[in-house]
């Protein structure tokens, strides 16, 4: 598959359809994730009350479950929303923020995976590996593990066992469904200096999945390539964290086929 063309076509679909993306996400990133989705061309909604999450999830084109500032009630809401989405075949994306840092986070993520069908897990290497290996820890919400061949092999195994797409973000990204694996080389280190961009990537991945629900591996890979490219464009215009986010929002809004075809860097499948 020509991933550059797939990325461009998916982006066009997003901008034409403005899919509704239901986010049960954390307080830190509600505003930034909503603005990222709006700039992309999606329609975000942030709803976590138990009384409405099932209805909201059933109306959405994809849902994001993000455990960044979780509590027990939010976990219940996430499971209800996930099951509602499952009943309608709506993609469910889990961002296990800080899994491996505390028992609450790790157990919450594992419970969500156990009680509803998750289609994509998007996180850094520590977060994802900690869900299957108690010996892996996370430094706050930052990764303590870099993407190595061992980590990539573990991601493949996790995807195979759980029948989902695993997407690990880092200096180089790895996206796998257990059979095929892509490496994405777009992005810039300055993206790690602005809070919420990882969570925003999960929301953007969900949006791409909403357009291509039958091709989740390719949809997530395309999201990573496009998002990283926008980071590169924003860094060239800014160079500093404060102004970077503004330039990044503008890049999400304005980047199109020409830049994608010239500059998206996706290797694979392997």
């Amino acid at each position: 598959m020509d991933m550059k063309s797939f990325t461009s076509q998916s982006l066009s679909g997003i901008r034409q359809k403005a899919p509704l993306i239901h986010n049960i996400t954390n307080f830190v990133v509600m505003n930034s994730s909503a603005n990222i989705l709006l700039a992309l061309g999606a329609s975000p909604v942030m709803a976590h009350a138990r009384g409405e999450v099932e209805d909201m999830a059933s109306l959405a084109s994809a849902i994001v479950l993000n455990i960044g500032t979780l509590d027990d009630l939010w976990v219940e809401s996430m499971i209800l929303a996930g099951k509602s989405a499952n009943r309608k075949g709506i993609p469910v994306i889990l961002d296990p923020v800080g899994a491996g840092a505390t028992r609450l986070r790790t157990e919450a993520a594992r419970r969500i995976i156990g009680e509803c069908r998750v289609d994509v897990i998007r996180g850094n290497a520590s977060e994802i590996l900690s869900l299957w290996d108690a010996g892996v820890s996370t430094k706050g919400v930052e990764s303590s593990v870099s993407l190595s061949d061992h980590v990539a092999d573990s991601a493949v195994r996790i995807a195979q066992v759980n029948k989902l797409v695993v997407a690990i973000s880092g200096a180089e990204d790895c996206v796998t469904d257990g059979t095929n694996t892509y490496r994405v080389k777009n992005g810039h280190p300055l993206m790690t200096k602005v809070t919420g961009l990882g969570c925003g990537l999960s929301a953007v991945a969900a949006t791409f999945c909403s357009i291509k629900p039958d091709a989740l591996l390719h949809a997530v890979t395309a999201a990573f390539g496009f998002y990283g490219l926008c980071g590169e464009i924003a860094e060239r215009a800014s160079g500093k964290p404060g102004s970077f986010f503004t330039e990044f929002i503008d890049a999400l809004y304005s980047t199109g086929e020409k830049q994608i075809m010239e500059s998206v860097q996706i290797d694979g499948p392997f």
Side-chain angles (χ1 to χ4, degrees):
M1 177 177 291
D2 180 351
M3 284 304 302
K4 290 185 178 183
S5 295
F6 183 92
T7 302
S8 180
Q9 292 166 8
S10 298
L11 179 62
S12 295
I14 291 167
R15 290 172 174 170
Q16 291 168 8
K17 297 179 180 179
L20 179 67
I21 309 301
H22 178 198
N23 299 261
I24 304 180
T25 192
N26 67 76
F27 292 121
V28 178
V29 305
M30 285 185 184
N31 181 268
S32 62
S33 290
N35 282 323
I36 284 169
L37 290 175
L38 287 169
L40 179 66
S43 300
V45 62
M46 310 316 194
H48 58 265
R50 289 185 63 186
E52 71 169 350
V53 291
E54 291 176 283
D55 290 341
M56 191 66 75
S58 71
L59 298 172
S61 297
I63 70 168
V64 181
L65 308 178
N66 178 307
I67 67 169
T69 53
L70 82 167
D71 64 22
D72 292 338
L73 290 178
W74 279 42
V75 174
E76 297 294 339
S77 291
M78 289 179 184
I79 292 170
L80 289 172
K83 289 181 176 179
S84 177
N86 291 162
R87 289 192 289 271
K88 294 214 166 185
I90 297 165
V92 177
I93 286 73
L94 172 65
D95 188 334
V97 179
T102 68
R103 186 173 62 184
L104 174 66
R105 290 175 183 271
T106 306
E107 290 181 353
R110 288 175 175 168
R111 184 181 170 198
I112 292 167
I113 294 166
E115 295 192 28
C116 62
R117 188 181 70 251
V118 172
D119 298 292
V120 179
I121 303 178
R122 200 297 310 173
N124 64 44
S126 294
E127 290 166 343
I128 290 174
L129 294 185
S130 71
L131 300 179
W132 283 270
D133 184 350
V136 176
S137 62
T138 302
K139 184 176 68 176
V141 296
E142 302 298 327
S143 183
S144 61
V145 177
S146 60
L147 181 59
S148 62
D149 289 341
H150 167 70
V151 170
D153 289 344
S154 297
V156 169
R157 181 60 179 157
I158 292 166
Q160 290 172 339
V161 170
N162 295 277
K163 297 181 175 58
L164 46 71
V165 173
V166 173
I168 299 178
S169 53
E172 182 178 295
D173 307 317
C174 172
V175 185
T176 182
D177 64 357
T179 300
N180 294 299
T181 300
Y182 287 93
R183 295 290 187 102
V184 183
K185 297 182 178 179
N186 293 100
H188 192 276
L190 194 58
M191 298 175 78
T192 66
K193 302 300 181 184
V194 180
T195 190
L197 288 197
C199 297
L201 175 54
S202 296
V204 169
T207 308
F208 274 74
C209 288
S210 76
I211 298 298
K212 302 288 188 179
D214 297 325
L216 295 181
L217 172 65
H218 301 111
V220 175
T221 303
F224 270 66
F226 176 74
Y227 200 79
L229 173 59
C230 290
E232 294 170 5
I233 293 169
E235 189 279 330
R236 290 196 292 270
S238 167
K240 297 181 177 64
S243 56
F244 176 87
F245 186 71
T246 299
E247 295 291 347
F248 183 65
I249 291 292
D250 288 348
L252 289 169
Y253 180 79
S254 62
T255 299
E257 181 180 10
K258 182 176 185 295
Q259 296 99 322
I260 289 170
M261 298 305 291
E262 289 176 350
S263 302
V264 161
Q265 300 179 64
I266 297 172
D267 292 340
F270 303 109

